[in-house]
């Protein structure tokens, strides 16, 4: 059964079938081969979605949809530009900084990449920035949204492993900011070398003016993190609160959402939710079959049998996650691998929150690597830069993210000190 399960999975994946259907069809094929009662199919698909914590996902999707229509992205970019306008390559620094600030709002790396790309790539083209560098920076900076709270990937990991979503949100701040700072530093050296232009003088009055315009947007991650960590509301309730908040400021303060925009906003959120829900349900069925055949236990025993050196084992786990991230999006990868790898990490003394951040950073790098790097494809479409050219330009960004990943892996205090 395991051979059929994995064989069908690989064949369908290579054929380009959407991942939700890959998981479902390979599971159904395996069930037929092993004479499982088909009633399990509907039970597992329904049970997977019958979860209160998972309701946070459509609510944060709605918040992200409202953001993209409500002028929130533009005000964050303008605020960053008011701070860095006097530095060479100002627009590059704005992209890196906006990736950090936006990551704390939408929770989706792909959504942030699309939003940043639509706003920043045309402006960088006008100022003769290298197209490959611009697209790579947008893709990498946008992907930070998968690490900075409220990350959809961290919600999925928290539900899958029964870890505290509030702790995961707080633990993701330092790694996400560290990666963004790394991008900022790299952009500075590229801008100096290429002599990219400044964008005007920086003044306290200009910063204050743009801050006042953006303050309502910048308060969103603060509300989410303090509310969840302070026990005021759950992650699911936080999604509802932030959706209402985003709609209020977009419609009544920024006045960029009109009545005619509402159906489109809800349609986009529903479409994104449907895609993720299909993947969640299919992954649950696939994971149940793995568990019924005790495959996670066998993989755990195999990994622990390779070596008893915790450093080497953690490096092997990181390498495995990097490879998986090249082929699977973060959601299905987390739901498939977290139940398998979390016990291995626990046996090595790794905190479950720390391992969640390790897992998400690995899979974030996967968003930027061929052959299935979603953020990379979004940036390529927005900029017109071919995939292979973009992959070459992304290599320095991979190096920065892997450096932070290794620090997180071997210095637990970076993530755990903020949740003690």
């Amino acid at each position: 059964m395991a051979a059929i399960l994995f064989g069908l999975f690989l064949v369908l994946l290579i054929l380009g079938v959407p991942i939700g259907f890959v998981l479902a069809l390979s599971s159904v094929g395996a069930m037929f081969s092993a004479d499982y009662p088909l009633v399990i199919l509907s039970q597992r698909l329904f049970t997977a979605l019958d979860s209160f914590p998972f309701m946070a996902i459509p609510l944060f999707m709605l918040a992200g949809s409202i953001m993209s229509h409500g002028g929130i992205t533009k005000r964050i970019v303008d605020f960053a530009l008011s701070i860095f306008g006097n530095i060479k390559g100002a627009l590059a620094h704005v992209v890196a900084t906006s990736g950090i600030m936006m990551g704390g709002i939408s929770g989706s790396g792909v959504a942030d990449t699309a939003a940043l790309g639509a706003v920043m790539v045309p402006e960088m083209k006008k100022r003769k920035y290298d197209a490959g560098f611009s697209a790579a920076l947008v893709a990498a900076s946008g992907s930070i949204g998968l690490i900075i709270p409220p990350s959809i990937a961290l919600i999925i990991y928290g539900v899958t492993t029964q870890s505290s979503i509030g702790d995961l949100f707080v633990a993701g701040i330092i790694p996400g900011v560290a990666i963004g700072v790394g991008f900022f530093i790299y952009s500075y050296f590229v801008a100096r070398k290429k002599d990219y232009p400044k964008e005007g003088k920086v003044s306290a009055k200009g910063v204050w003016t743009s801050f006042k315009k953006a303050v309502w947007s910048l308060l969103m991650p603060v509300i989410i993190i303090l509310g969840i960590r302070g026990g005021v509301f759950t992650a699911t309730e936080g999604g509802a609160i932030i959706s209402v908040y985003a709609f209020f400021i977009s419609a009544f303060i920024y006045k960029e959402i009109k009545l005619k925009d509402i159906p489109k906003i809800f349609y986009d959120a529903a479409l994104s939710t449907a895609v993720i829900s299909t993947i969640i349900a299919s992954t649950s069925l696939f994971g149940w079959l793995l568990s019924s055949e005790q495959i996670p236990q066998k993989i755990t025993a195999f990994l622990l049998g390779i070596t008893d050196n915790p450093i080497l084992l953690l490096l092997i786990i990181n390498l495995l996650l990097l490879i998986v991230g090249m082929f699977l999006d973060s959601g299905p990868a987390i739901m498939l691998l977290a139940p398998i790898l979390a016990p291995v990490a626990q046996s090595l003394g790794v905190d479950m929150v720390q391992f969640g951040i390790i897992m998400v950073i690995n899979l974030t790098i996967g968003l930027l690597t061929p052959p299935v790097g979603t953020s990379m494809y979004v940036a390529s479409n927005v900029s017109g830069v071919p995939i292979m050219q973009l992959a070459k330009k992304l290599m320095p960004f991979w190096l920065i993210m892997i450096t932070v990943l290794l620090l997180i892996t071997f210095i637990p205090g970076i993530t755990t000190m903020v949740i003690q």
Side-chain angles (χ1 to χ4, degrees), residues 261-293:
D261 298 322
I262 294 176
K264 172 67 173 169
I265 289 170
F266 278 91
Y267 174 80
D268 289 346
L271 196 62
S272 300
T273 301
V275 171
I276 290 182
S277 297
T278 301
I279 292 171
I280 289 171
S282 301
T283 307
S284 173
L285 177 62
F286 193 95
W288 181 84
L289 287 170
L290 290 178
S291 298
S292 69
E293 296 295 310

Side-chain angles (χ1 to χ4, degrees), residues 43-59 155-156 158-162 165 234-237 277 280-281 284 335:
Q43 287 175 346
R44 295 311 309 174
L45 294 177
F46 179 81
T47 303
L49 299 175
D50 187 22
S51 167
F52 181 73
F54 268 140
M55 285 181 63
I57 294 174
L59 291 168
I155 293 172
I156 293 173
V159 175
T160 304
T161 63
Q162 300 299 303
I165 294 174
T234 66
T236 303
E237 292 162 348
S277 297
I280 289 171
S284 173
M335 287 182 284

Side-chain angles (χ1 to χ4, degrees), residues 270-345:
L271 196 62
S272 300
T273 301
V275 171
I276 290 182
S277 297
T278 301
I279 292 171
I280 289 171
S282 301
T283 307
S284 173
L285 177 62
F286 193 95
W288 181 84
L289 287 170
L290 290 178
S291 298
S292 69
E293 296 295 310
Q294 295 191 323
I295 292 173
Q297 292 88 330
K298 292 171 184 175
I299 293 174
T300 300
F302 172 74
L303 288 173
L304 293 175
I306 294 174
T307 176
D308 57 0
N309 186 319
I311 293 176
L312 187 57
L313 269 174
L314 284 172
L315 288 174
I316 292 171
I317 289 172
N318 275 318
L319 181 61
L320 174 63
L321 288 169
L322 283 172
I323 293 170
V324 169
M326 293 178 182
F327 298 93
L328 290 180
D329 279 339
S330 58
I334 289 169
M335 287 182 284
L336 280 175
L337 294 179
I340 297 172
L341 297 178
V344 180

Side-chain angles (χ1 to χ4, degrees), residues 5 25 41-42 70 72 84 116 160 172 194 253 279 388 392 407 410:
L5 184 67
L25 292 173
L41 175 64
S42 56
I72 292 173
F84 301 109
L116 270 178
T160 304
K194 300 283 188 179
I253 297 178
I279 292 171
M388 293 316 296
K392 291 178 182 177
L407 289 172
F410 297 113

Side-chain angles (χ1 to χ4, degrees), residues 119-133:
V119 174
M120 298 305 299
V121 167
E123 295 299 321
M124 295 175 87
K125 278 184 177 178
K126 286 180 190 175
R127 291 159 177 79
K128 309 298 182 185
Y129 280 72
D130 177 80
F133 167 73

Side-chain angles (χ1 to χ4, degrees), residues 387-401:
I387 286 294
M388 293 316 296
Q389 181 184 335
L390 180 55
K392 291 178 182 177
K393 294 291 185 177
L394 277 165
M395 288 180 182
F397 297 98
W398 298 343
L399 183 61
I400 291 166
M401 297 178 83

